[in-house]
């Protein structure tokens, strides 16, 4: 597994250990992680701290030029809110661990020139399938199904 996706998976596992939703993300500039995060909806009672948003928050204030040189790794396909943040900061590349359990706004990213790579990593798929089966009420609370 790619070292950056592995870091995102570790973030997802941290969220799960804290009783949260196992979605993790890292923001990478060059060959260095500059922001890490995981879904904090349960832990912090937050409506906006999805994995990608938490990674961006933890990266702190960055210049526009820095964002334009980054890659965002996420264990799960980004929702419309997270996609909006990616587009707002003009992050040019997104690597997605999996999109089988949830298909986010990938087409919107592509339509706006973002290079999207979907790995469909078996560990990411298994992690989400298990979580959704075991805690559908938490999953559906956010996704609204």
């Amino acid at each position: 597994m790619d070292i950056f996706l592995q870091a995102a998976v570790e973030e997802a596992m941290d969220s799960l250990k804290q009783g949260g939703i196992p979605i993790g993300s890292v923001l990478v500039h060059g060959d260095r992680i500059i922001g890490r995060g995981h879904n904090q909806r349960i832990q912090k009672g937050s409506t906006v701290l999805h994995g990608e948003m938490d990674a961006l928050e933890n990266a702190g204030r960055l210049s526009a030029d820095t964002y334009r040189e980054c890659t965002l790794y996420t264990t799960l396909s980004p929702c419309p809110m997270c996609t909006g943040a990616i587009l707002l900061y003009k992050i040019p590349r997104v690597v997605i661990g999996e999109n089988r359990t949830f298909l986010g706004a990938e087409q919107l990213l592509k339509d706006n020139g973002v290079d999207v790579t979907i790995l469909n990593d078996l560990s990411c798929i298994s992690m989400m399938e298990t979580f959704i089966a075991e805690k559908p009420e938490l999953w559906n609370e956010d996704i609204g199904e």
Side-chain angles (χ1 to χ4, degrees):
M1 178 184 293
D2 176 286
I3 62 167
F4 299 125
L5 181 61
Q6 181 60 44
V9 168
E10 290 167 7
E11 286 291 328
M13 294 303 297
D14 284 349
S15 182
L16 189 61
K17 288 174 191 168
Q18 297 166 6
I21 298 172
I23 303 168
S25 185
V26 294
L27 185 64
V28 177
H29 185 254
D31 61 355
R32 188 171 69 87
I33 295 172
I34 60 172
R36 306 176 161 264
H38 53 263
N39 190 295
Q40 301 257 10
R41 194 170 56 80
I42 305 304
Q43 300 92 313
K44 292 190 176 180
S46 174
T47 59
V48 297
L49 282 181
H50 288 190
E52 300 90 340
M53 302 296 276
D54 195 39
L56 290 169
E57 176 71 15
N58 291 330
R61 291 180 63 194
L62 302 170
S63 71
D65 288 341
T66 300
Y67 287 116
R68 290 181 185 138
E69 296 172 347
C70 285
T71 299
L72 184 77
Y73 286 76
T74 181
T75 58
L76 187 66
S77 184
C79 75
M81 175 182 66
C82 296
T83 293
I86 292 163
L87 295 175
L88 177 69
Y89 292 106
K90 297 181 174 50
I91 297 169
R93 183 167 183 249
V94 176
V95 177
I96 299 168
E98 71 104 346
N99 67 357
R100 292 186 189 171
T101 61
F102 175 75
L103 179 59
E106 295 170 15
Q107 193 58 51
L108 183 58
L109 291 170
K110 293 174 186 176
D111 289 348
N112 282 275
V114 176
D115 176 14
V116 176
T117 302
I118 302 154
L119 301 177
N120 278 321
D121 176 81
L122 294 178
S123 65
C124 291
I125 294 167
S126 175
M127 181 169 48
M128 285 308 300
E129 285 178 343
T130 300
F131 177 80
I132 292 167
E134 291 177 356
K135 302 206 177 197
E137 69 286 352
L138 290 180
W139 177 247
N140 291 331
E141 181 182 295
D142 193 37
I143 298 304
E145 294 186 11

